[in-house]
Amino acid sequence: KAGVTQTPRYLIKTRGQQVTLSCSPISGHRSVSWYQQTPGQGLQFLFEYFSETQRNKGNFPGRFSGRQFSNSRSEMNVSTLELGDSALYLCASSPTMRGPETQYFGPGTRLLVL
Amino acid sequence: GENVEQHPSTLSVQEGDSAVIKCTYSDSASNYFPWYKQELGKRPQLIIDIRSNVGEKKDQRIAVTLNKTAKHFSLHITETQPEDSAVYFCAASDSGGGADGLTFGKGTHLIIQP
């Protein structure tokens, strides 16, 4: 099976702009989670989607949003970008929501905000 | 919410020696504890995980132990090799299926000295 894919891999934006990142899970996986990775804060949970519904959200401002489509692909959007949003954004997929499961990570999208 | 502390932040060991990384968690409801290895510029890769109904799990040179009473878990790598050099993250999940996402430790940079 193909792994989790993310597009684009690299992105440069300026403050105030918005950005949309895409994640395609492993075929058959229905849960997609998003994480932000920075040198200072490490890996932090953004939100998780299952069957097109956001099941939970981490401690991030409302500028961070996401959605999931019927084919389980997911997008996340960041509006009004700030310098501190520069990070590696990782998505991870897992088969279902029942019971603790392994999450498989994508390669990430590296976002630089200037 | 869950809080995961990871120590040490950097660990340097001679090739062939053992390495131990320790994590503590705060939420007694956590029931899933994965360990991820992240090489420079690459995605986190699951190396081993343990569930709360098990005290120890081994996979070749890697083992994880869990003490639910003390709320801590550890990664043990024996006979370390140069390719073990990477950043290792522990994580905890406090609900089934990852609905609350994984809470990660800050990571340990493992350096294998030849």
Side-chain angles (χ1 to χ4, degrees):
Chain A
K1 282 184 181 178
V4 179
T5 59
Q6 292 185 244
T7 57
R9 293 294 310 280
Y10 304 93
L11 208 48
I12 299 176
K13 292 286 187 178
T14 56
R15 278 180 299 173
Q17 287 186 310
Q18 72 162 14
V19 66
T20 300
L21 312 181
S22 180
C23 172
S24 293
I26 292 171
S27 178
H29 284 195
R30 296 171 64 191
S31 172
V32 174
S33 298
W34 288 90
Y35 295 86
Q36 181 194 65
Q37 185 174 28
T38 59
Q41 298 300 317
L43 277 155
Q44 293 184 285
F45 173 69
L46 280 156
F47 28 64
E48 190 267 347
Y49 286 87
F50 179 78
S51 291
E52 302 176 66
T53 301
Q54 185 182 92
R55 299 294 298 197
N56 209 349
K57 193 176 192 299
N59 190 25
F60 279 82
R63 300 186 296 107
F64 292 82
S65 62
R67 59 178 175 169
Q68 186 180 35
F69 302 94
S70 58
N71 61 358
S72 295
R73 189 177 69 85
S74 178
E75 289 181 347
M76 68 163 281
N77 184 77
V78 188
S79 61
T80 320
L81 284 166
E82 301 177 0
L83 296 179
D85 297 333
S86 295
L88 179 67
Y89 290 89
L90 293 157
C91 77
S93 75
S94 57
T96 71
M97 276 276 298
R98 294 187 298 275
E101 293 180 322
T102 299
Q103 294 191 21
Y104 298 88
F105 282 88
T109 294
R110 189 164 296 280
L111 172 65
L112 177 61
V113 182
L114 301 175
Chain B
E2 176 65 276
N3 182 52
V4 177
E5 300 281 343
Q6 183 173 348
H7 299 280
S9 56
T10 303
L11 178 61
S12 181
V13 302
Q14 289 293 126
E15 182 179 349
D17 287 350
S18 296
V20 180
I21 303 170
K22 299 181 179 181
C23 290
T24 60
Y25 61 98
S26 61
D27 190 345
S28 57
S30 287
N31 54 9
Y32 176 61
F33 307 92
W35 285 88
Y36 283 86
K37 174 184 180 182
Q38 188 175 29
E39 297 176 73
L40 190 62
K42 296 192 175 180
R43 74 188 74 190
Q45 298 265 21
L46 180 81
I47 55 171
I48 196 166
D49 57 11
I50 193 166
R51 286 160 172 75
S52 59
N53 58 346
V54 176
E56 183 176 2
K57 184 176 178 180
K58 290 185 73 173
D59 183 4
Q60 299 183 342
R61 297 186 297 109
I62 293 173
V64 57
T65 58
L66 171 65
N67 183 326
K68 286 169 52 182
T69 303
K71 289 191 280 188
H72 67 70
F73 56 113
S74 300
L75 177 71
H76 304 252
I77 305 175
T78 59
E79 300 172 13
T80 52
Q81 301 169 3
E83 53 265 35
D84 295 331
S85 293
V87 179
Y88 291 80
F89 294 95
C90 62
S93 175
D94 61 358
S95 73
D100 291 334
L102 290 169
T103 301
F104 284 88
K106 293 284 198 229
T108 295
H109 186 192
L110 177 62
I111 301 165
I112 308 300
Q113 303 278 9

